[in-house]
PDB file of all heavy atoms in Angstrom:
ATOM      1  N   VAL A1476    -121.687 148.582 180.097  1.00 95.00           N
ATOM      2  CA  VAL A1476    -121.662 150.060 180.262  1.00 95.00           C
ATOM      3  C   VAL A1476    -120.511 150.628 179.432  1.00 95.00           C
ATOM      4  O   VAL A1476    -120.694 151.610 178.712  1.00 95.00           O
ATOM      5  CB  VAL A1476    -121.462 150.405 181.794  1.00 95.00           C
ATOM      6  CG1 VAL A1476    -121.352 151.904 181.950  1.00 95.00           C
ATOM      7  CG2 VAL A1476    -122.604 149.916 182.597  1.00 95.00           C
ATOM      8  N   ILE A1477    -119.326 149.996 179.485  1.00 96.00           N
ATOM      9  CA  ILE A1477    -118.239 150.420 178.692  1.00 96.00           C
ATOM     10  C   ILE A1477    -118.546 150.255 177.192  1.00 96.00           C
ATOM     11  O   ILE A1477    -118.217 151.110 176.372  1.00 96.00           O
ATOM     12  CB  ILE A1477    -116.924 149.610 179.014  1.00 96.00           C
ATOM     13  CG1 ILE A1477    -116.512 150.008 180.467  1.00 96.00           C
ATOM     14  CG2 ILE A1477    -115.847 149.901 178.035  1.00 96.00           C
ATOM     15  CD1 ILE A1477    -115.324 149.180 180.924  1.00 96.00           C
ATOM     16  N   GLY A1478    -119.242 149.157 176.855  1.00 95.00           N
ATOM     17  CA  GLY A1478    -119.536 148.893 175.423  1.00 95.00           C
ATOM     18  C   GLY A1478    -120.363 149.989 174.842  1.00 95.00           C
ATOM     19  O   GLY A1478    -120.034 150.537 173.785  1.00 95.00           O
ATOM     20  N   PHE A1479    -121.492 150.319 175.479  1.00 96.00           N
ATOM     21  CA  PHE A1479    -122.394 151.367 174.907  1.00 96.00           C
ATOM     22  C   PHE A1479    -121.787 152.761 175.046  1.00 96.00           C
ATOM     23  O   PHE A1479    -122.090 153.655 174.248  1.00 96.00           O
ATOM     24  CB  PHE A1479    -123.782 151.225 175.514  1.00 96.00           C
ATOM     25  CG  PHE A1479    -124.537 149.996 175.079  1.00 96.00           C
ATOM     26  CD1 PHE A1479    -124.718 148.919 175.939  1.00 96.00           C
ATOM     27  CD2 PHE A1479    -125.082 149.973 173.790  1.00 96.00           C
ATOM     28  CE1 PHE A1479    -125.389 147.796 175.495  1.00 96.00           C
ATOM     29  CE2 PHE A1479    -125.782 148.871 173.351  1.00 96.00           C
ATOM     30  CZ  PHE A1479    -125.915 147.741 174.173  1.00 96.00           C
ATOM     31  N   SER A1480    -120.975 152.984 176.054  1.00 96.00           N
ATOM     32  CA  SER A1480    -120.281 154.256 176.119  1.00 96.00           C
ATOM     33  C   SER A1480    -119.307 154.400 175.013  1.00 96.00           C
ATOM     34  O   SER A1480    -119.140 155.513 174.417  1.00 96.00           O
ATOM     35  CB  SER A1480    -119.531 154.355 177.484  1.00 96.00           C
ATOM     36  OG  SER A1480    -120.421 154.344 178.591  1.00 96.00           O
ATOM     37  N   THR A1481    -118.633 153.357 174.637  1.00 96.00           N
ATOM     38  CA  THR A1481    -117.686 153.380 173.488  1.00 96.00           C
ATOM     39  C   THR A1481    -118.436 153.692 172.227  1.00 96.00           C
ATOM     40  O   THR A1481    -117.964 154.400 171.352  1.00 96.00           O
ATOM     41  CB  THR A1481    -116.916 152.018 173.381  1.00 96.00           C
ATOM     42  OG1 THR A1481    -116.284 151.750 174.596  1.00 96.00           O
ATOM     43  CG2 THR A1481    -115.954 152.061 172.232  1.00 96.00           C
ATOM     44  N   ILE A1482    -119.657 153.105 172.062  1.00 96.00           N
ATOM     45  CA  ILE A1482    -120.444 153.425 170.871  1.00 96.00           C
ATOM     46  C   ILE A1482    -120.796 154.883 170.808  1.00 96.00           C
ATOM     47  O   ILE A1482    -120.719 155.546 169.746  1.00 96.00           O
ATOM     48  CB  ILE A1482    -121.740 152.547 170.890  1.00 96.00           C
ATOM     49  CG1 ILE A1482    -121.357 151.115 170.635  1.00 96.00           C
ATOM     50  CG2 ILE A1482    -122.717 153.067 169.791  1.00 96.00           C
ATOM     51  CD1 ILE A1482    -122.536 150.116 170.762  1.00 96.00           C
ATOM     52  N   TYR A1483    -121.161 155.461 171.972  1.00 96.00           N
ATOM     53  CA  TYR A1483    -121.472 156.884 172.022  1.00 96.00           C
ATOM     54  C   TYR A1483    -120.256 157.742 171.570  1.00 96.00           C
ATOM     55  O   TYR A1483    -120.355 158.611 170.732  1.00 96.00           O
ATOM     56  CB  TYR A1483    -121.921 157.291 173.420  1.00 96.00           C
ATOM     57  CG  TYR A1483    -121.974 158.798 173.576  1.00 96.00           C
ATOM     58  CD1 TYR A1483    -123.096 159.536 173.112  1.00 96.00           C
ATOM     59  CD2 TYR A1483    -120.959 159.534 174.193  1.00 96.00           C
ATOM     60  CE1 TYR A1483    -123.180 160.926 173.242  1.00 96.00           C
ATOM     61  CE2 TYR A1483    -121.055 160.909 174.369  1.00 96.00           C
ATOM     62  CZ  TYR A1483    -122.165 161.602 173.847  1.00 96.00           C
ATOM     63  OH  TYR A1483    -122.169 162.903 173.991  1.00 96.00           O
ATOM     64  N   LEU A1484    -119.097 157.422 172.137  1.00 95.00           N
ATOM     65  CA  LEU A1484    -117.873 158.151 171.764  1.00 95.00           C
ATOM     66  C   LEU A1484    -117.536 157.966 170.276  1.00 95.00           C
ATOM     67  O   LEU A1484    -117.047 158.933 169.666  1.00 95.00           O
ATOM     68  CB  LEU A1484    -116.705 157.720 172.638  1.00 95.00           C
ATOM     69  CG  LEU A1484    -116.849 158.012 174.158  1.00 95.00           C
ATOM     70  CD1 LEU A1484    -115.641 157.371 174.877  1.00 95.00           C
ATOM     71  CD2 LEU A1484    -116.936 159.447 174.430  1.00 95.00           C
ATOM     72  N   ARG A1485    -117.768 156.800 169.781  1.00 94.00           N
ATOM     73  CA  ARG A1485    -117.441 156.572 168.351  1.00 94.00           C
ATOM     74  C   ARG A1485    -118.299 157.491 167.442  1.00 94.00           C
ATOM     75  O   ARG A1485    -117.738 158.031 166.453  1.00 94.00           O
ATOM     76  CB  ARG A1485    -117.786 155.080 168.023  1.00 94.00           C
ATOM     77  CG  ARG A1485    -117.610 154.775 166.533  1.00 94.00           C
ATOM     78  CD  ARG A1485    -118.982 154.725 165.857  1.00 94.00           C
ATOM     79  NE  ARG A1485    -118.911 154.464 164.399  1.00 94.00           N
ATOM     80  CZ  ARG A1485    -118.829 155.366 163.512  1.00 94.00           C
ATOM     81  NH1 ARG A1485    -118.785 156.643 163.792  1.00 94.00           N
ATOM     82  NH2 ARG A1485    -118.839 155.050 162.216  1.00 94.00           N
ATOM     83  N   TYR A1486    -119.572 157.682 167.782  1.00 93.00           N
ATOM     84  CA  TYR A1486    -120.414 158.484 166.882  1.00 93.00           C
ATOM     85  C   TYR A1486    -120.355 159.975 167.170  1.00 93.00           C
ATOM     86  O   TYR A1486    -120.595 160.775 166.244  1.00 93.00           O
ATOM     87  CB  TYR A1486    -121.887 158.073 167.027  1.00 93.00           C
ATOM     88  CG  TYR A1486    -122.153 156.744 166.324  1.00 93.00           C
ATOM     89  CD1 TYR A1486    -122.299 155.539 167.032  1.00 93.00           C
ATOM     90  CD2 TYR A1486    -122.262 156.653 164.974  1.00 93.00           C
ATOM     91  CE1 TYR A1486    -122.563 154.386 166.395  1.00 93.00           C
ATOM     92  CE2 TYR A1486    -122.511 155.481 164.275  1.00 93.00           C
ATOM     93  CZ  TYR A1486    -122.611 154.286 165.036  1.00 93.00           C
ATOM     94  OH  TYR A1486    -122.863 153.144 164.388  1.00 93.00           O
TER      95      TYR A1486
END
Side-chain angles (χ1 to χ4, degrees):
V1476 178
I1477 293 177
F1479 288 105
S1480 297
T1481 303
I1482 291 174
Y1483 170 79
L1484 295 176
R1485 174 259 178 269
Y1486 285 103

